[in-house]
Amino acid sequence: MAIAERGYRRWEGRLRGRALRWWIIARWGVRLSGQSKWLRRLVLAAWLPLLYWVLAFFAIGQVTDPETIGAVEDTWQFALLKAQFGGALADAFVRDPASFRPTIWATLFYFYLYTTQVWVMLVTAVVGPRLISADLSAHALGLYFARPITRLDYVAGKLGVVAFWIGAVTLGPVTALYGLSILFSPSLEALSQTIFVWPRAAGACAVVMVGAGAPVLALSSLTRNPRFLGFAWAGLWVLSHVASTVLSLAIFRIGGAEGRDWTGLVSFFRNLLAVAFRFLEVETKLAPAARLSHRASRWMERYSYEHDWRWSLCLLLVGAALSLWVVARRVGRAAEEGAQ
Amino acid sequence: MTPLIELSGLTKDFGAFRALDGLDARLPRGSVGLLGPNGAGKSTLVKCLLGLLRPSAGRARLLGEDVARRPLALRRRVGYLPEVDCHLPGLSAVEFVAYAGELSGMPPRDAMTRAHEMLDLVGLADERYRPVHAASTGTRQRVKFAQAIVHDPEVVFLDEPTNGLDPRGREQMLALVAGLARAGVSVVYSSHLLADVERVCSEVLILREGRIIAAGPLEELRARTGAGWELRTRGDEEALRRELRARGIDYAALGPGRGVVRPARSSAALDEPVPSAPEPVPAAGNPDAPAVADPRSAAREDAASPVDRAAASESTGLPAGEGPQGEGGAPTADGDEATTRDVPSPPDAPSGGGALPGDAGVRSGESARPGPDGNSAGGEAFSAQAVATVPRRVFAAAAAAGCEVRRFVPLRSSLEDVFVAAVRAQEER
């Protein structure tokens, strides 16, 4: 007999507690946003540069193999290493892999995180704008809050969706890369020497997830029409970077190098990278190499930030907290307006 | 059993506007209709009960729990179909319902299985994979219904569930709601459509301008509204009229030997002791007894004029075309044409006809004409005590007039009558 003919039947199961309701919202949100072809292509594209880093770690594994030490100078692997780190550092690394592994790992992972920032901007511009604005325009908030869902569950769930996609272009590739780098290493010593890399990189990724995810949610909650929000979001990133650069140049022209140290705080990119730079301890790890290699000392100069990284972290976290407050308030107000 | 809803001085203000004004009520489990014109405060009350709005004053309890103290625990036991057109963007019907189930706490697999079952139940088996946002209004309404019941709540709040549905869809929706009530799920049915509420609800709470103007079992309210009884007699009709009048009963003749009796609008006689009357003899198997539907035709003929109805409609704020009188024109057992209020019998509502002493054979008389004072079927509310004494008074009057009572059956007033009476009573107050 068809169900429609049998009529309504009771359900015998038992409802679960509400501890993981945010997870349900995040899971369904990821599933829903994953239907976007553009997003899938973006994530795929974000993984492609990883091939270069995989190749680099493969080469490192080959040239640091004790069985081949002394016979690597003419290999393509060594040539790749020299191209990346310069001859002095490459030579030093091949002669004493244990001492220079932390330097090489930290630097390569930082470089990788550096390149992912553009993908973070693009992915958040595609995923973020619709997350809350679509719910607002579809009057869906009443459906959420008529169930055992709090505003905190809702906001955490939505943040989980952005965080997942940011993680897909940052933490995911970083984790895969670290796993491969250890696999390509000639011994497990590499693991003990570089064990700091993954948790620190993951910490940097978490800061990016919250630091970039929360503001895009706040933007999304401000409107019911997300059409141009993605462009506005990307524009915010680019403009803040341009503003930081222009300010830096202007201050340099007016008053010399003094007083420029705060201009990095204006740029979204630079704040995120300053935190990653510090989290991976690149400055500390590069210091011994900088004494040997001119290239390493140039990196030190170029990538280390003049302002205190803690200001960047503070700015990102305060921005995220403010954004989440805006989201919670907007959502609460919209739910109440809908209820009226 | 704990009542479904208990309200105690419930007040809700939106700025200077008072949407709910000190509501006090106690409604048992079952199917409860929240009735009132647009802006009466129905949706606000529903949202207060769901904990979506915080009351400005007073208290509301749902299923025995204070909604302000434990809203999250309560929402596990509650389903809600909002009035507004809403969906979760991008999801198909089955995903939408399954997601709603998971949000209520169902395990994912159970939620998906149940979502399929609920969509089958609401007749969307073939459309379950279509995106909800691209579906028709009727389909979306059914999907909303399915998401409201997917987690098998103890009580379902349905806010204008037949909005945007065509007549067939409306029938199906009402049948679904009736099915829920049969399965033991309490239903709070908020609507401004009287006929819908009348079809599915056994209790009603009528709101107007944020105040309760009537509440209680629908049958009791109907009886108290005083549509009257159909009386068929054989004998001196004028004498009967006089005897009835003396006992505080109005008699409106509908034809020879046929009329409608009801308590007089203002009569001290109803407060007098009830005289003894011969016990009515049940007329089982009486071939002359008219069909049960017949009394309604009498009520229709006796109903207020269209002008009165329009005035009442204007007064209550309800659309004149809405409510139970819409279709009209059903032929009666006597071949009469019903000109107003053709009320379909609710399948689940207890029948009010035939329960009181009727179809009695007493004495005969002569024919009578329609009386000049054919009072309105709607708009008069009487005390339960006054209503209860009417049959005895009628039989006493018939005996005194020497008339044989051939038929005496109650006429069921419609919900519109109840509503109009409540509104008038409020205005008089």
Side-chain angles (χ1 to χ4, degrees):
Chain A
M1 184 189 282
I3 288 170
E5 290 163 19
R6 281 207 304 261
Y8 182 80
R9 290 194 309 161
R10 306 305 300 254
W11 176 61
E12 302 297 334
R14 202 169 158 208
L15 296 176
R16 291 173 168 180
R18 47 166 296 275
L20 289 177
R21 294 296 151 86
W22 71 270
W23 167 246
I24 295 165
I25 295 171
R27 186 161 53 80
W28 277 87
V30 167
R31 183 175 163 175
L32 198 58
S33 49
Q35 291 172 1
S36 161
K37 278 183 192 167
W38 277 105
L39 184 61
R40 291 202 302 265
R41 285 172 188 160
L42 262 180
V43 172
L44 188 67
W47 278 68
L48 287 179
L50 195 69
L51 291 176
Y52 173 78
W53 270 263
V54 170
L55 196 66
F57 277 111
F58 177 74
I60 289 167
Q62 296 282 304
V63 296
T64 52
D65 190 341
E67 289 179 10
T68 59
I69 281 182
V72 297
E73 273 75 12
D74 297 329
T75 60
W76 67 268
Q77 290 96 330
F78 189 68
L80 182 69
L81 205 60
K82 277 209 297 189
Q84 179 69 50
F85 294 102
L89 185 54
D91 277 340
F93 180 46
V94 169
R95 278 198 304 277
D96 184 8
S99 299
F100 286 96
R101 237 183 220 120
T103 307
I104 300 296
W105 253 249
T107 311
L108 280 178
F109 274 90
Y110 174 71
F111 284 165
Y112 183 72
L113 283 177
Y114 190 96
T115 62
T116 59
Q117 299 309 303
V118 174
W119 300 111
V120 169
M121 179 190 77
L122 293 174
V123 161
T124 46
V126 172
V127 176
R130 285 188 56 77
L131 277 176
I132 295 178
S133 64
D135 281 349
L136 292 175
S137 63
H139 305 287
L141 292 181
L143 293 172
Y144 282 103
F145 298 123
R147 298 178 183 281
I149 301 285
T150 61
R151 271 192 290 177
L152 186 66
D153 294 330
Y154 178 81
V155 175
K158 294 293 179 181
L159 184 62
V161 180
V162 197
F164 174 85
W165 290 110
I166 292 176
V169 295
T170 54
L171 187 58
V174 160
T175 306
L177 188 62
Y178 185 69
L180 287 173
S181 71
I182 298 302
L183 272 180
F184 292 147
S185 297
S187 70
L188 273 180
E189 273 181 9
L191 181 66
S192 62
Q193 288 156 6
T194 62
I195 194 77
F196 71 95
V197 169
W198 187 82
R200 285 172 178 273
C205 292
V207 171
V208 176
M209 287 174 194
V210 177
V216 80
L217 281 187
L219 269 184
S220 177
S221 72
L222 294 177
T223 176
R224 288 169 193 263
N225 184 1
R227 188 173 293 176
F228 301 110
L229 221 52
F231 294 107
W233 172 244
L236 198 69
W237 280 60
V238 174
L239 280 179
S240 70
H241 195 66
V242 169
S244 166
T245 309
V246 169
L247 274 173
S248 177
L249 287 173
I251 289 170
F252 181 73
R253 188 162 286 189
I254 293 165
E258 297 220 352
R260 276 196 306 158
D261 60 343
W262 57 271
T263 56
L265 292 170
V266 177
S267 164
F268 210 72
F269 278 112
R270 285 183 178 144
N271 282 311
L272 291 171
L273 288 170
V275 172
F277 193 79
R278 173 64 194 175
F279 269 40
L280 281 166
E281 292 184 322
V282 182
E283 198 167 3
T284 322
K285 305 290 185 222
L286 263 179
R291 287 194 290 272
L292 295 173
S293 159
H294 178 60
R295 189 173 295 191
S297 64
R298 265 197 296 137
W299 284 340
M300 288 272 285
E301 194 178 320
R302 182 175 169 192
Y303 295 115
S304 59
Y305 293 87
E306 290 175 10
H307 65 269
D308 192 336
W309 71 278
R310 280 170 291 204
W311 279 108
S312 286
L313 181 63
C314 202
L315 207 62
L316 289 170
L317 294 183
V318 167
L322 267 176
S323 301
L324 294 178
W325 178 77
V326 168
V327 175
R329 201 173 156 78
R330 282 283 302 163
V331 165
R333 191 171 288 177
E336 198 145 296
E337 277 169 11
Q340 290 173 31
Chain B
M1 187 182 275
T2 51
L4 178 63
I5 294 168
E6 289 170 281
L7 308 176
S8 159
L10 186 72
T11 302
K12 177 65 192 174
D13 296 325
F14 295 114
F17 175 69
R18 179 152 287 187
L20 298 176
D21 190 2
L23 307 188
D24 290 294
R26 186 182 165 92
L27 296 162
R29 297 195 186 207
S31 47
V32 175
L34 283 184
L35 194 61
N38 292 329
K42 304 184 297 290
S43 296
T44 305
L45 175 57
V46 167
K47 281 155 193 163
C48 283
L49 288 169
L50 284 167
L52 295 175
L53 287 176
R54 191 179 291 273
S56 306
R59 207 173 59 166
R61 291 172 81 87
L62 180 67
L63 299 166
E65 302 265 11
D66 191 324
V67 296
R69 288 179 67 185
R70 300 192 65 205
L72 291 176
L74 257 179
R75 284 185 212 149
R76 288 160 62 95
R77 305 162 68 188
V78 168
Y80 175 49
L81 183 155
E83 181 185 5
V84 292
D85 184 23
C86 54
H87 58 273
L88 297 170
L91 293 178
S92 68
V94 70
E95 287 171 331
F96 177 27
V97 178
Y99 183 32
E102 281 193 52
L103 287 176
S104 293
M106 295 178 83
R109 190 171 291 181
D110 286 11
M112 187 53 82
T113 308
R114 179 92 171 157
H116 282 285
E117 285 178 12
M118 291 304 102
L119 289 171
D120 276 342
L121 179 73
V122 300
L124 291 179
D126 298 333
E127 296 181 72
R128 68 185 72 183
Y129 297 113
R130 282 185 61 188
V132 180
H133 68 264
S136 67
T137 307
T139 300
R140 282 211 291 269
Q141 203 71 353
R142 287 167 198 236
V143 174
K144 273 161 60 182
F145 185 81
Q147 66 79 31
I149 58 173
V150 63
H151 58 295
D152 190 24
E154 287 175 55
V155 53
V156 186
F157 287 84
L158 305 173
D159 200 351
E160 306 279 4
T162 54
N163 268 5
L165 295 181
D166 59 20
R168 189 163 162 269
R170 177 169 162 260
E171 283 302 312
Q172 288 168 343
M173 180 63 80
L174 293 175
L176 285 170
V177 177
L180 274 187
R182 271 199 301 275
V185 178
S186 291
V187 175
V188 177
Y189 192 104
S190 168
S191 179
H192 69 289
L193 298 176
L194 301 167
D196 287 0
V197 173
E198 194 159 36
R199 276 278 301 273
V200 296
C201 297
S202 54
E203 296 271 335
V204 289
L205 188 148
I206 304 179
L207 288 169
R208 186 168 180 252
E209 293 167 355
R211 295 194 179 123
I212 295 174
I213 56 173
L218 182 56
E219 283 305 306
E220 192 181 305
L221 291 174
R222 276 171 167 160
R224 287 175 56 187
T225 301
W229 287 257
E230 186 202 14
L231 178 63
R232 290 193 179 203
T233 54
R234 191 177 294 150
D236 184 351
E237 211 164 353
E238 279 307 314
L240 176 64
R241 184 193 299 276
R242 279 195 302 278
E243 292 296 335
L244 285 169
R245 171 59 74 181
R247 288 167 174 78
I249 306 285
D250 277 342
Y251 179 79
L254 301 172
R258 186 167 154 244
V260 172
V261 292
R262 60 171 60 88
R265 281 182 179 172
S266 56
S267 172
L270 280 172
D271 298 326
E272 293 167 2
V274 180
S276 61
E279 283 298 312
V281 182
N286 182 357
D288 295 328
V292 174
D294 196 18
R296 284 203 209 141
S297 67
R300 290 179 199 118
E301 289 177 30
D302 190 49
S305 71
V307 176
D308 285 348
R309 292 228 157 267
S313 170
E314 196 175 318
S315 160
T316 58
L318 282 166
E322 290 177 343
Q325 81 278 22
E327 291 83 5
T332 65
D334 290 345
D336 298 331
E337 183 74 5
T339 52
T340 57
R341 68 175 72 193
D342 179 16
V343 186
S345 284
D348 302 320
S351 167
L356 290 165
D359 296 353
V362 186
R363 283 267 309 150
S364 65
E366 56 185 81
S367 64
R369 299 180 307 278
D373 59 341
N375 53 10
S376 168
E380 259 342 289
F382 302 99
S383 72
Q385 190 187 355
V387 171
T389 61
V390 168
R392 297 184 68 185
R393 292 170 190 277
V394 168
F395 280 95
C403 291
E404 176 193 0
V405 177
R406 301 180 60 211
R407 180 178 171 81
F408 183 68
V409 291
L411 298 172
R412 299 180 64 206
S413 61
S414 72
L415 186 52
E416 188 185 7
D417 299 324
V418 173
F419 189 83
V420 170
V423 168
R424 285 190 181 160
Q426 187 200 25
E427 284 174 351
E428 279 167 17
R429 277 199 298 273

